[in-house]
Amino acid sequence: QVLFLQEQPEERLSFAAPGSASRAPLSKTFTQTCTQTSLLQPIGMTQMRFKDSFWCKEFTAHTGYDVLLQRLLEGRKMCKDVEDLIKQRAQAEERYGKELVQIARKAGGHTEINTLKASFEVLKQQIESVGNSHIQLATMLRDELKGLEEFRERQKEQRKKYENTMDKIHKNKISLYKKTMESKKTYEQKCKEADEAELAFERISTMGNQKQTEKSQTKAKQCKEAANEAERVYKQNIELLDAARISWEQEHISTCEAFQLQECDRITILRNSLWVHCNQLSTQCVKDDEVYEEVRRSLENCDVGLDMEYFIQSKTTGTEPPAAIGYENYYDRLTPTQNCGSPIPSCGMMKRFSGLLHGNNRNAPDSIIPTAPPAGQVDGVYAAIRTDKEEEADLPREYRVLYDYTGQNEDELDIRAGDVVLVTDVGEDGWWTAEQNGQQGFVPGSYLEKV
């Protein structure tokens, strides 16, 4: 028998036995070795063989063969389980590698500077390198998976050939056995009939009846001939059955040897595959550690002082803080004609904080704070306030709003600069009565001018 293990490249068959420090290739004489000493038996123990251990005393039973066949089917299932494990591991390695590559490319770190930035860039490069190596590992695992699948299919084809042969032999043996048992039954029946005919002939011959004696003698002779013919057929079937038995035994031995080689081959291949799988993962771990060692060496070159100095030199904005802000009196900048003539500039300040409308408010002083008009008006503070007598003469009259004002009470109007209102009354307290859009209320008179 040809062991499929020999069809594999020698470099793929190399593996280290458990507990050994080196990896030695499998011998090319593995076929002969497998038949002499099992990989599953410790050295020094007697080798047990399939052909010596799977017989059955019952002629028509094939229990031993069924047990072996079931074992091979279970071994095929084990092959699929190992394939599924490697396949899922390959998928996991590929996903992990792609995620690492994606993480490395999206890591950012563009705002960092100097040595820490360089170390971070090395980390990103090495993470991407690790991701690519895991993707390569997934490819290697898939290549190993293809070899296992091909091996499993070859074993299936070989097993099928033996199954078909054994099925035919079993059917032939059982058919001959049934035929032999029927011929035996017929032979025994004919022998009984011959014995009965012989006894009848002896009994009748003692009675002296010639005619009956001749008739009984003829019948005994015919029964004897039928028994002889049944015996001949029975012996012939026995010979055929024995030949079928010998053929079956030979084929059973051959099948047991082939199945043992297949099982030995399967265990060796799976053991080798799992060993190689672990070696691949261990190698990947070593590669990962070497890659991250590069990152550690880069981090050793990361200097906090250099990074701080680099940042200060490249982003410096000045070496001195701003000077203190000094007090500047507004009225010190006015011309002599603008001063009130007093050595103390309080007269200007008093004018600034005088009442908006001649010092009179409609309500409490804090309740109304109108928006101050812009600078550049009369005396640089507020616009001049017109007197009531000047305005009462031509009421009602339209006025344009100069500044925004938001009413503080329910009886006041909200006005905006540029609006036109109709003034109907001028109050002595500086609050005028105006109408706009059908609403009437008080507004500051100093915020209006004639149209």
Side-chain angles (χ1 to χ4, degrees), residues 237-295:
N237 288 336
I238 286 291
E239 293 176 356
L240 293 175
L241 181 60
D242 191 59
R245 178 190 62 79
I246 294 174
S247 176
W248 168 77
E249 287 182 358
Q250 293 174 350
E251 192 63 33
H252 179 78
I253 293 173
S254 176
T255 301
C256 288
E257 290 176 346
F259 283 2
Q260 182 165 357
L261 288 175
Q262 272 204 346
E263 186 66 5
C264 188
D265 192 7
R266 181 189 67 83
I267 295 174
T268 303
I269 287 294
L270 291 184
R271 176 181 181 274
N272 178 45
S273 179
L274 295 177
W275 198 280
V276 171
H277 180 69
C278 293
N279 286 347
Q280 290 171 335
L281 300 182
S282 297
T283 303
Q284 184 62 45
C285 291
V286 173
K287 290 181 180 179
D288 291 352
D289 186 67
E290 291 175 351
V291 165
Y292 292 128
E293 182 62 27
E294 292 292 331
V295 180

Side-chain angles (χ1 to χ4, degrees), residues 206-247:
T206 57
M207 298 173 63
N209 189 336
Q210 184 66 27
K211 186 175 180 179
Q212 291 292 333
T213 301
E214 292 178 357
K215 185 177 179 181
S216 176
Q217 184 179 9
T218 302
K219 183 178 179 181
K221 184 178 179 181
Q222 291 176 347
C223 289
K224 186 64 174 179
E225 291 176 352
N228 291 336
E229 178 63 20
E231 181 180 15
R232 184 189 66 79
V233 173
Y234 176 44
K235 288 181 178 181
Q236 182 180 2
N237 288 336
I238 286 291
E239 293 176 356
L240 293 175
L241 181 60
D242 191 59
R245 178 190 62 79
I246 294 174
S247 176

Side-chain angles (χ1 to χ4, degrees), residues 348-419:
M349 294 296 291
M350 292 300 292
K351 177 185 286 187
R352 173 178 291 274
F353 291 105
S354 62
L356 176 63
L357 303 173
H358 305 294
N360 271 325
N361 290 338
R362 289 178 55 253
N363 299 315
D366 294 336
S367 63
I368 303 173
I369 305 177
T371 305
Q377 303 296 335
V378 178
D379 81 358
V381 183
Y382 294 141
I385 301 176
R386 295 174 292 276
T387 62
D388 298 341
K389 292 181 179 180
E390 295 175 351
E391 304 297 340
E392 289 178 351
D394 53 354
L395 294 179
R397 183 182 178 86
E398 290 185 345
Y399 283 76
R400 180 178 289 106
V401 178
L402 298 176
Y403 319 111
D404 294 346
Y405 175 74
T406 301
Q408 305 296 315
N409 296 306
E410 294 181 356
D411 56 353
E412 296 175 4
L413 282 178
D414 295 338
I415 55 177
R416 298 290 179 268
D419 291 351

Side-chain angles (χ1 to χ4, degrees), residues 313-382:
Q313 291 178 355
S314 60
K315 301 295 182 179
T316 182
T317 58
T319 58
E320 296 181 359
I325 304 298
Y327 170 75
E328 296 181 3
N329 194 313
Y330 173 78
Y331 296 98
D332 290 345
R333 295 179 295 175
L334 298 178
T335 60
T337 58
Q338 291 176 312
N339 290 332
C340 62
S342 172
I344 302 174
S346 60
C347 60
M349 294 296 291
M350 292 300 292
K351 177 185 286 187
R352 173 178 291 274
F353 291 105
S354 62
L356 176 63
L357 303 173
H358 305 294
N360 271 325
N361 290 338
R362 289 178 55 253
N363 299 315
D366 294 336
S367 63
I368 303 173
I369 305 177
T371 305
Q377 303 296 335
V378 178
D379 81 358
V381 183
Y382 294 141

